[in-house]
Amino acid sequence: MNEEFKKTLKSSETEDWLDLHFVRPFCYYWALFFARFDIHPNTVTILSMFIGAGSAFFFACASYYYCGIVGLLLNIVAILLLCLADIFDCTDGQLARMTGKKSRLGRILDGAAGFTWFVPIYHAMVYRFYLHHDLEFQWLGISDTPENVLIATFVAYALGVISGFTGIAGQQRLADYYIQVHLFFLKGEKGAELDNSKRQQEIYDQMDASTPWYERYFQKSYIGYTQKQEAATPQFQRLMARLREKYGAADQIPQAVRDEFRRYSLPVIKWNGLLTFNFRSAWLFLFCLLDVPVLYFVWEIVGMGLLYLYVNRRHENFCRKMADKL
C-alpha cells in the first residue's frame, strides 16, 4: 500500500476488508484517471447516481427462473452496474482528497447517493414480484388470481417501504455517522466530516436568493439527515456535550480521551462495516439471483435490523460509560 494511495483514504480503520484490499485500490486508479482530466468529484458522484438508478431497469427485468439465460444475464448486468455505481461513489471521496476539491455540497451528495440508487431499485423489485411470483405463491399455498396478486404486491410494496426506511434510511445513515465519529476521535475535527444539525441549520439560514435552488434543497434535506443521526445516538450526544463543557473546543480534547474512545470504538466499527454497502448488497444480489427479491426486504428488516440494534447499543453503552466518568 503506497503512501499516495493511503492519503486518499479516510482511514484504514474505517474500511472493511473488501474495500481496503480491492475496492479502494481500484477506485484509486479511477481517481487518477478523473484527476488527469480535471473532472470534479461532484461530477463523479452524480455519475454514480445515474448508473446506480439505471441498474433498477435491469433488476426489474431480470429472472433466470422465469426468463432463462436472458434473465440471468440481465441480473448480472444489474449487479455490475450497481457495483460500478458504488466504485464511483467511493472514487469521488478519494478524488476529493487527492485534488483538495472538497465541498459541503459534495459531502451532502455523497450521503444522498445510496438513496438515489435504492429507491428505484426497490420499486423495480416490487414490480418484478408483480410479474414473477410463482415461487412465493407455491411456497405459501396461494392461488394465483388477480386479486391475490394485487394483495401480495401491496404487501411486498409495504415491506419495501419499511425496508427502505429502516435499511438505507436508518441503518446506513447510522453506519456513516459512526465512521465519522471514529475519524473525529482518531484524526481530529479536520480529519472527519462530523456534522451537526445546529451548524447545518445555520448554514441554511445564511443562504439567500443567489444560492442555487438545488443547493438549498440538499442543504435542507441534510439538516433532517443529521437530526436523525443525533436522535439515534443520545448517549454520544451527551458525551460530546460533557467534552465541550469540560475542555471547550474540540481540538482541546486530551489525547488520552481520544485514545480511550478509539479503543472502545474500533471493535464496534468492524461490526458497523456490515451495515454499509458491501455486506448489504451481497444479500441483495443473492436474493435477486435466487429469484426471490422480496425476501431481501424481510432480511433487511429483520437480519440487518438486529445488527443495527447491536451496533447502536454497543456504541451507546461505551459512550454512556465515558460520559459518566467525566
Side-chain angles (χ1 to χ4, degrees):
M1 189 184 297
N2 64 58
E3 290 302 317
E4 292 303 315
F5 168 62
K6 286 182 180 179
K7 290 177 183 177
T8 67
L9 301 177
K10 295 176 183 177
S11 165
S12 59
E13 290 186 2
T14 56
E15 303 287 352
D16 66 30
W17 185 87
L18 184 63
D19 274 339
L20 185 61
H21 292 90
F22 291 96
V23 178
R24 289 297 184 179
F26 190 52
C27 294
Y28 174 69
Y29 290 106
W30 272 110
L32 289 173
F33 172 81
F34 289 127
R36 182 176 181 180
F37 292 96
D38 197 29
I39 296 174
H40 198 279
N42 291 354
T43 303
V44 180
T45 307
I46 293 169
L47 180 60
S48 82
M49 291 178 173
F50 278 102
I51 294 172
S55 70
F57 171 79
F58 297 94
F59 276 117
C61 302
S63 172
Y64 176 69
Y65 181 81
Y66 299 97
C67 305
I69 192 67
V70 173
L72 177 61
L73 291 174
L74 290 174
N75 249 326
I76 293 172
V77 170
I79 290 169
L80 291 176
L81 284 175
L82 188 53
C83 288
L84 181 61
D86 178 63
I87 286 169
F88 282 178
D89 187 45
C90 293
T91 298
D92 60 6
Q94 288 178 257
L95 179 62
R97 287 183 284 276
M98 179 186 293
T99 60
K101 295 179 180 178
K102 297 181 181 181
S103 66
R104 184 179 67 254
L105 180 60
R107 166 66 178 148
I108 296 171
L109 285 173
D110 190 54
F115 296 98
T116 308
W117 306 339
F118 283 99
V119 169
I121 287 173
Y122 283 20
H123 280 85
M125 290 165 66
V126 173
Y127 177 70
R128 177 170 161 177
F129 173 79
Y130 172 74
L131 295 178
H132 306 300
H133 46 261
D134 291 358
L135 283 173
E136 293 88 339
F137 275 29
Q138 288 174 14
W139 293 343
L140 298 173
I142 300 173
S143 301
D144 192 359
T145 65
E147 294 80 7
N148 286 341
V149 171
L150 288 176
I151 293 170
T153 303
F154 175 80
V155 171
Y157 189 83
L159 288 172
V161 170
I162 297 169
S163 177
F165 276 105
T166 61
I168 298 302
Q171 298 162 10
Q172 200 150 308
R173 180 175 59 224
L174 184 75
D176 177 64
Y177 192 56
Y178 283 157
I179 288 171
Q180 299 307 326
V181 166
H182 188 86
L183 290 171
F184 173 80
F185 283 89
L186 176 66
K187 294 187 171 184
E189 196 166 17
K190 292 183 179 180
E193 297 170 335
L194 186 59
D195 298 322
N196 64 78
S197 58
K198 183 179 179 181
R199 176 56 185 152
Q200 297 311 308
Q201 183 66 57
E202 291 172 354
I203 293 172
Y204 180 77
D205 292 340
Q206 291 168 5
M207 292 178 170
D208 54 28
S210 64
T211 306
W213 67 267
Y214 57 85
E215 192 167 342
R216 293 198 303 273
Y217 170 78
F218 280 117
Q219 182 63 34
K220 185 67 173 178
S221 301
Y222 195 54
I223 294 169
Y225 184 85
T226 52
Q227 286 174 335
K228 289 182 175 68
Q229 288 176 324
E230 292 162 358
T233 56
Q235 292 302 320
F236 172 70
Q237 306 309 319
R238 175 171 166 257
L239 172 61
M240 290 299 290
R242 296 293 298 273
L243 289 171
R244 286 191 293 266
E245 179 185 333
K246 187 168 183 177
Y247 302 112
D251 58 1
Q252 298 300 316
I253 299 174
Q255 188 61 45
V257 175
R258 292 182 178 277
D259 290 342
E260 181 183 8
F261 186 95
R262 177 175 168 271
R263 284 196 302 272
Y264 285 126
S265 176
L266 195 55
V268 180
I269 283 294
K270 302 303 182 185
W271 288 99
N272 186 70
L274 298 179
L275 293 172
T276 56
F277 178 84
N278 291 337
F279 186 71
R280 182 183 305 278
S281 61
W283 287 98
L284 171 66
F285 300 159
L286 175 64
F287 285 117
C288 285
L289 288 170
L290 292 175
D291 285 316
V292 285
V294 172
L295 286 184
Y296 172 75
F297 297 152
V298 178
W299 164 252
E300 190 167 54
I301 294 168
V302 179
M304 298 294 288
L306 290 172
L307 178 61
Y308 167 92
L309 291 174
Y310 173 74
V311 170
N312 182 235
R313 173 167 285 192
R314 275 193 68 172
H315 201 278
E316 286 287 278
N317 283 344
F318 79 72
C319 287
R320 180 189 296 108
K321 181 178 179 179
M322 288 189 65
D324 288 343
K325 287 171 58 178
L326 293 173

